[in-house]
C-alpha cells in the first residue's frame, strides 16, 4: 500500500523528470495529462491546488522552476541550473574535501556532509576518488598505501556537544521558529525567548544561533550552551526566511563579546580524589561542616566540556556554582541515570532534588 507521503514524493519526482527533460515550456494542462500523479485529481480546481503546493515545495528545495518571461502558462527546469557542471580537482583539493567530510561524520551534520561529497564525486571529471582522498583502487581507506595509517589515525572531529544543537539544527532546516529559556548571564535566571533561527555558526570554539527574536523584534545571537532545558518548536506560522545576502559568520563575530577569562567553578570534592581537578585549583579549603570533603575552586572552561568532566567523577564531585554549570552537570547525570534504568528495567528513583548530594555518613 502506497502512503500519502510516498505518493507525493513520487509525484514530485515525476514532475522534476518531466520538466528537466522538456525541450520547451510545458503548460499546466500538459502536466495534468502527461505527468503521473496529477491525472487522479477529480476536478480542475483540485489539480491546481495540488500543483501550486508542489511548485512551492520544489522552489523551497532550491529547484529552479522557470516560467516564460512574458507571463504565459508554462514551466521548465533548466538543466544547466539544476545539475552540477563537470568538476575537476587537484590532489590537494581532493584531500581537503575528504578531510572536510570526515570532519563532520560523527555529528548531526554527518548525513548532509556525506550527501554533499557524493554529489561532488558524481560530478567529478577525474578518477572519482573525492570521497576518500586516496587511490580509488584501495577498498579500505585505512590501508592500501603509506598514507592509509595516517588517514585512520588523523581523524578530525567537530564537537557538537550542546544538547540544543541537533534540535536547533532541525528547526533551521525546517524553517520553523522555536521557543526556549535562555541565560544571558551564566549565573542569572533563564528568560523565555522566541526565535526565528537563520543559521548556526561556530565561533571561537562555541556554537551560536542567529535569527530574529520575536519578543524583542530584532536580530539577536544566542550561545547554545546557555539555552536552559529543551527547545520547543513552534508548529504554526510562516516559514523562516533569513535576510538575503546575510553573512552569518560576520554577523555573529560582530555581536559576540570575548569570553570572560576569569570565570570560576566552586566544587565540593571528596578528600583524596580528583587529582586532576586539584592540580588546576585556585584554592582548596577543607569543609568543617562536612569532614572528608574539600571546597575546590577551579577555572571554568567551556560549559559542557567542564560538565562532562565533573559528571565523570560521579558522587565524588558536587558542583556548587555557577548555576549554568550546576544545571548542565545535573542534566548529564540524570540523563545517564534514565538511560541506565531504561536498559535494566528498574523503576524510577528519586528526582535530583530528593536525592542526597553526598552520603549522610560522611557528615557525621
Amino acid at each position: 500500500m502506497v502512503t500519502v507521503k510516498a505518493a507525493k514524493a513520487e509525484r514530485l519526482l515525476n514532475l522534476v523528470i518531466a520538466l528537466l527533460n522538456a525541450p520547451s515550456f510545458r503548460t499546466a494542462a500538459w502536466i495534468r495529462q502527461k505527468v503521473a500523479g496529477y491525472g487522479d485529481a477529480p476536478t480542475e480546481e483540485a489539480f491546481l491546488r495540488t500543483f501550486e503546493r508542489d511548485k512551492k515545495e520544489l522552489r523551497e528545495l532550491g529547484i529552479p522552476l522557470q516560467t516564460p518571461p512574458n507571463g504565459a502558462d508554462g514551466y521548465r527546469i533548466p538543466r544547466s541550473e539544476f545539475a552540477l557542471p563537470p568538476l575537476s580537482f587537484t590532489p590537494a583539493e581532493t584531500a581537503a574535501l575528504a578531510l572536510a567530510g570526515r570532519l563532520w561524520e560523527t555529528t548531526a551534520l554527518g548525513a548532509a556532509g556525506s550527501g554533499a561529497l557524493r554529489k561532488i564525486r558524481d560530478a567529478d571529471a577525474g578518477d572519482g576518488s573525492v570521497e576518500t582522498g586516496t587511490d580509488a583502487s584501495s577498498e579500505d581507506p585505512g590501508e592500501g598505501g603509506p598514507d592509509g595509517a595516517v588517514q585512520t589515525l588523523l581523524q578530525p572531529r567537530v564537537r557538537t556537544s550542546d544538547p540544543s544543537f541537533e534540535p536547533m539544527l532541525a528547526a533551521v532546516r525546517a524553517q520553523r521558529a522555536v521557543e526556549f529559556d535562555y541565560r544571558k548571564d551564566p549565573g542569572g535566571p533563564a528568560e523565555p525567548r522566541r526565535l526565528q533561527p537563520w543559521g548556526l555558526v561556530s565561533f571561537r570554539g562555541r556554537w551560536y544561533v542567529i535569527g530574529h527574536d520575536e519578543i524583542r523584534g530584532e536580530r539577536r545571537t544566542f550561545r547554545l550552551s546557555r539555552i536552559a532545558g529543551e527547545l520547543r518548536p513552534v508548529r504554526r506560522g510562516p516559514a523562516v526566511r533569513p535576510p538575503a545576502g546575510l553573512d552569518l559568520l560576520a554577523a555573529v563575530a560582530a555581536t559576540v563579546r570575548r569570553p570572560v577569562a576569569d570565570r570560576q567553578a566552586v566544587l565540593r570534592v571528596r578528600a583524596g580524589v580528583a587529582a586532576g581537578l586539584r592540580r588546576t585549583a585556585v584554592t582548596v579549603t577543607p569543609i568543617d561542616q562536612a569532614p572528608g570533603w574539600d571546597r575546590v575552586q577551579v577555572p571554568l572552561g567551556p560549559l559542557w566540556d567542564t560538565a562532562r568532566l565533573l559528571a565523570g567523577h560521579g558522587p565524588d564531585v558536587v558542583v556548587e556554582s555557577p548555576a549554568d554549570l550546576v544545571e548542565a552537570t545535573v542534566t548529564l547525570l540524570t540523563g545517564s541515570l534514565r538511560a541506565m534504568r531504561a536498559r535494566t528495567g528498574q523503576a524510577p528513583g528519586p528526582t535530583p532534588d530528593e536525592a542526597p548530594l553526598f552520603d549522610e555518613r560522611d557528615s557525621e
Side-chain angles (χ1 to χ4, degrees):
M1 179 179 178
V2 179
T3 64
V4 174
K5 183 177 290 188
K8 176 183 176 182
E10 185 175 351
R11 186 178 68 245
L12 288 173
L13 181 60
N14 291 337
L15 180 60
V16 169
I17 293 173
L19 297 183
L20 191 60
N21 293 318
S24 60
F25 290 101
R26 298 299 192 187
T27 64
W30 184 94
I31 291 170
R32 184 182 183 187
Q33 182 182 4
K34 299 292 186 181
V35 179
Y38 290 103
D40 300 332
T43 64
E44 181 74 11
E45 183 181 356
F47 159 71
L48 290 176
R49 284 199 304 266
T50 301
F51 186 44
E52 287 298 322
R53 287 196 299 266
D54 290 351
K55 287 191 298 180
K56 180 181 178 182
E57 187 153 347
L58 290 181
R59 286 176 173 135
E60 288 178 348
L61 290 171
I63 296 176
L65 187 61
Q66 287 189 349
T67 56
N70 61 5
D73 178 27
Y75 305 91
R76 72 175 181 181
I77 298 175
R79 183 174 292 274
S80 60
E81 297 182 24
F82 178 79
L84 285 174
L87 303 176
S88 181
F89 298 98
T90 66
E93 291 169 337
T94 299
L97 285 171
L99 197 64
R102 284 175 171 263
L103 191 68
W104 291 100
E105 68 180 21
T106 58
T107 72
L109 298 178
S114 298
L117 278 181
R118 186 164 55 251
K119 292 177 183 177
I120 293 174
R121 180 197 61 201
D122 292 342
D124 184 17
D127 61 4
S129 60
V130 170
E131 189 166 14
T132 62
T134 60
D135 188 344
S137 64
S138 174
E139 297 182 1
D140 185 351
E143 300 177 358
D147 296 332
V150 175
Q151 260 202 337
T152 302
L153 293 175
L154 298 181
Q155 187 77 348
R157 292 289 184 267
V158 170
R159 299 292 294 274
T160 54
S161 58
D162 296 309
S164 57
F165 180 87
E166 290 198 31
M168 186 66 79
L169 174 63
V172 171
R173 299 180 72 173
Q175 299 178 306
R176 291 298 182 191
V178 290
E179 295 177 340
F180 54 88
D181 297 324
Y182 185 77
R183 286 193 175 91
K184 184 175 182 180
D185 179 75
E191 299 178 356
R193 300 294 175 100
R194 184 182 174 112
L195 181 72
Q196 298 177 9
W198 298 336
L200 292 165
V201 174
S202 178
F203 183 68
R204 292 180 182 158
R206 294 175 171 85
W207 280 98
Y208 298 86
V209 60
I210 183 172
H212 178 74
D213 187 330
E214 294 186 359
I215 296 178
R216 286 160 176 77
E218 57 187 2
R219 185 175 78 187
R220 288 296 178 94
T221 300
F222 300 95
R223 189 194 299 181
L224 294 190
S225 62
R226 292 186 181 173
I227 293 177
E230 297 183 356
L231 267 71
R232 302 176 294 279
V234 177
R235 300 298 180 185
R236 296 183 179 274
V240 175
R241 303 288 186 188
L246 176 65
D247 186 332
L248 295 180
L249 179 58
V252 170
T255 58
V256 172
R257 295 176 298 178
R258 288 192 171 274
V260 179
D262 59 353
R263 283 194 75 200
Q264 295 183 347
V266 179
L267 315 172
R268 188 159 60 244
V269 181
R270 197 184 298 272
V273 302
L277 286 175
R278 293 174 183 273
R279 280 196 297 270
T280 63
V282 178
T283 60
V284 178
T285 307
I287 303 177
D288 296 335
Q289 298 83 356
W293 290 82
D294 298 326
R295 182 160 284 112
V296 179
Q297 194 168 353
V298 297
L300 178 58
L303 179 65
W304 288 97
D305 289 342
T306 305
R308 278 195 301 273
L309 173 65
L310 300 178
H313 288 283
D316 293 329
V317 173
V318 178
V319 183
E320 294 186 342
S321 67
D324 56 342
L325 181 60
V326 173
E327 182 173 334
T329 307
V330 170
T331 297
L332 293 174
L333 290 172
T334 53
S336 298
L337 183 61
R338 283 195 299 269
M340 181 192 70
R341 285 175 172 157
R343 287 195 302 268
T344 59
Q346 297 181 28
T351 65
D353 292 335
E354 297 168 346
L357 294 180
F358 51 86
D359 291 342
E360 294 180 358
R361 293 172 297 177
D362 294 323
S363 61
E364 293 177 353

